[in-house]
Amino acid sequence: MARITLRQLLDHAAERQYGVPAFNINNMEQVLAIMAAAREVDAPVILQASRGARSYANDIMLAAMVDAAERIYPEIPICLHLDHGNEEATCATALQHGFTSVMMDGSLEADGKTAADYDYNLAITRRVVDMAHWVGASVEGELGVLGSLEHGGGEQEDGHGVEGALDQAQLLTDPDQAVDFVNRTKVDALAIAMGTSHGAYKFSRRPDGAILAMNIVREIHARLPDTHLVMHGSSSVPQELQEIFNEFGGAMPQTWGVPVEEIQAGIRHGVRKVNIDTDCRLAMAAQFRKVAQQNRSEFDPRKFLKPAMDAMKALCRERYEAFGTAGNASRIKVLPLAEMARRYRNGSLDPQIGASVQAAQ
Ligand code: G3H
Ligand code: 13P
Ligand code: ZN
């Protein structure tokens, strides 16, 4: 099956009221785990690669792995998406390597550490939208800066994100500004800031509305009902995975992620893409620890990687089922990039939702 764009996939998800997990990939085992789970439940897939993944695995290797996934799983539509692009060139080179969607994260400057001002974000995102739409690819923008409402700090755990303190206005996307941003940039999807952050240490207690601002999702959706919303930092950091990790020699202090029920509430209010990396890392790493501790003479990497893949596959399957993604792969008829480009040019992809749905069903 042809590679699908984010825009077409999320149009379909909006029409049928489901969400799509976007899982980060860095290696073959992660790709196989995500795809095997998708096949089991007939779910369309978003594979996303960060700049870190691109330098770890090499663009050519990433593209080849996704080509292989398409051949092994021809019935599953796959969107290949750039996670947190930091400047135009990063987005352009992703498109050259077969990505059908890019995120231009203009909430931060190109260094990935400094909060950008609104005009910078608007201008750079608009330029990337122009470039991507010429070739039919999609663009996700971000408005608001990811960080913690608990301590008011930016997030540096993953080596990117703001250093130091942020004010409340930066940590929560402003709904009025979101309307202006979407209208002027013409992004296909909008990532919002609402108290989630990357990595395992999101919340020091089970989150309530004071630290996970789901009201922001509802407010933005009320004003932008035709815009696909994206939740970053949406790993749930399941207790049982923390326990396996710690039982076998890990030292992860008790932490809380984003509860699946909150994500489901978000999906009822316009959230269509849900970014998950940490849960997959934790599912795999917990198995590495288990094998290493239970069989101290083991040195065949496959003996570590196979249970790790199985654990990640189980996690992906649970998310496909919980978000309503399951059962939708076979309902989508993928539009080629050239057709998406034609529709952007003739304006038929405005307003956002619905324009590519008819052909997708
Ligand atoms: O954006 C955050 C993702 O978890 C990617 O992380 O930059 O370490 O690949 P990474
Ligand atoms: P997590 O760290 O919560 O998995 O978030 C991943 C993410 O948002 C990637 O862009
Ligand atoms: Zn992110």
Side-chain angles (χ1 to χ4, degrees):
M1 188 177 279
R3 215 166 280 189
I4 194 169
T5 62
L6 185 71
R7 173 60 186 275
Q8 191 196 351
L9 178 50
L10 299 193
D11 278 358
H12 190 262
E15 179 74 8
R16 292 186 53 82
Q17 291 287 301
Y18 64 92
V20 188
F23 295 117
N24 286 75
I25 56 164
N26 294 268
N27 59 41
M28 179 191 80
E29 286 75 12
Q30 292 172 321
V31 173
L32 290 177
I34 296 163
M35 296 306 305
R39 170 170 280 171
E40 281 184 5
V41 297
D42 184 36
V45 164
I46 301 171
L47 301 175
Q48 62 182 6
S50 66
R51 284 193 292 148
R54 291 174 67 185
S55 66
Y56 173 79
N58 186 300
D59 281 340
I60 295 170
M61 181 59 76
L62 283 173
M65 287 194 299
V66 179
D67 282 343
E70 282 174 339
R71 291 170 57 197
I72 301 168
Y73 301 92
E75 78 281 20
I76 304 291
I78 302 175
C79 169
L80 178 57
H81 174 80
L82 169 69
D83 191 25
H84 292 284
N86 64 325
E87 57 190 348
E88 292 102 315
T90 316
C91 297
T93 53
L95 296 175
Q96 284 176 318
H97 285 93
F99 286 63
T100 50
S101 178
V102 294
M103 177 185 189
M104 177 59 235
D105 181 359
S107 72
L108 303 177
E109 293 183 5
D111 66 4
K113 292 187 167 74
T114 312
D117 66 37
Y118 183 63
D119 288 340
Y120 170 91
N121 191 357
L122 201 61
I124 196 166
T125 306
R126 177 70 221 211
R127 289 198 296 276
V128 171
V129 167
D130 284 342
M131 170 179 72
H133 286 182
W134 276 113
V135 296
S138 321
V139 179
E140 172 187 335
E142 175 164 327
L143 186 62
V145 183
L146 296 186
S148 166
L149 292 169
E150 255 187 299
H151 55 69
E155 41 145 34
Q156 266 294 300
E157 182 192 327
D158 273 350
H160 54 81
V162 165
E163 284 164 340
L166 291 161
D167 59 43
Q168 191 87 355
Q170 292 172 296
L171 287 166
L172 294 174
T173 303
D174 176 64
D176 291 329
Q177 205 173 48
V179 173
D180 184 65
F181 187 79
V182 168
N183 288 339
R184 289 168 70 185
T185 58
K186 299 202 181 300
V187 286
D188 299 285
L190 180 70
I192 59 177
M194 43 178 290
T196 64
S197 56
H198 295 123
Y201 306 103
K202 301 179 195 304
F203 305 112
S204 67
R205 57 183 164 90
R206 192 180 161 85
D208 56 21
I211 56 179
L212 176 61
M214 296 304 296
N215 62 309
I216 294 290
V217 176
R218 292 192 292 274
E219 284 174 34
I220 295 177
H221 181 55
R223 282 182 230 192
L224 286 169
D226 291 336
T227 294
H228 306 308
L229 302 181
V230 182
M231 279 175 66
H232 281 248
S234 290
S235 277
S236 303
V237 201
Q239 185 65 35
E240 61 273 20
L241 293 185
Q242 293 182 48
E243 280 164 15
I244 301 170
F245 186 83
N246 285 336
E247 185 185 340
F248 296 102
M252 176 173 278
Q254 176 65 52
T255 181
W256 280 264
V258 183
V260 168
E261 314 83 75
E262 298 292 350
I263 298 170
Q264 290 170 323
I267 291 169
R268 290 194 290 277
H269 292 94
V271 170
R272 299 290 159 233
K273 175 172 180 278
V274 182
N275 282 16
I276 296 174
D277 187 359
T278 295
D279 282 354
C280 298
R281 294 176 175 187
L282 184 56
M284 294 189 97
Q287 293 302 314
F288 297 157
R289 290 204 165 279
K290 184 173 178 185
V291 175
Q293 208 170 83
Q294 285 189 334
N295 189 349
R296 291 164 62 92
S297 62
E298 186 56 69
F299 59 90
D300 178 348
R302 293 171 300 185
K303 297 285 172 24
F304 294 80
L305 288 163
K306 179 68 172 69
M309 261 197 288
D310 290 344
M312 180 165 159
K313 179 177 137 189
L315 182 119
C316 294
R317 181 179 169 146
E318 278 176 28
R319 297 296 180 271
Y320 289 133
E321 288 173 329
F323 300 167
T325 334
N328 282 293
S330 54
R331 295 175 188 269
I332 299 173
K333 182 169 169 288
V334 175
L335 291 171
L337 274 174
E339 175 58 18
M340 293 299 286
R342 197 185 65 76
R343 293 183 187 203
Y344 282 121
R345 277 202 296 278
N346 71 18
S348 65
L349 286 173
D350 286 337
Q352 287 207 335
I353 291 174
S356 62
V357 168
Q358 214 162 355
Q361 287 182 325

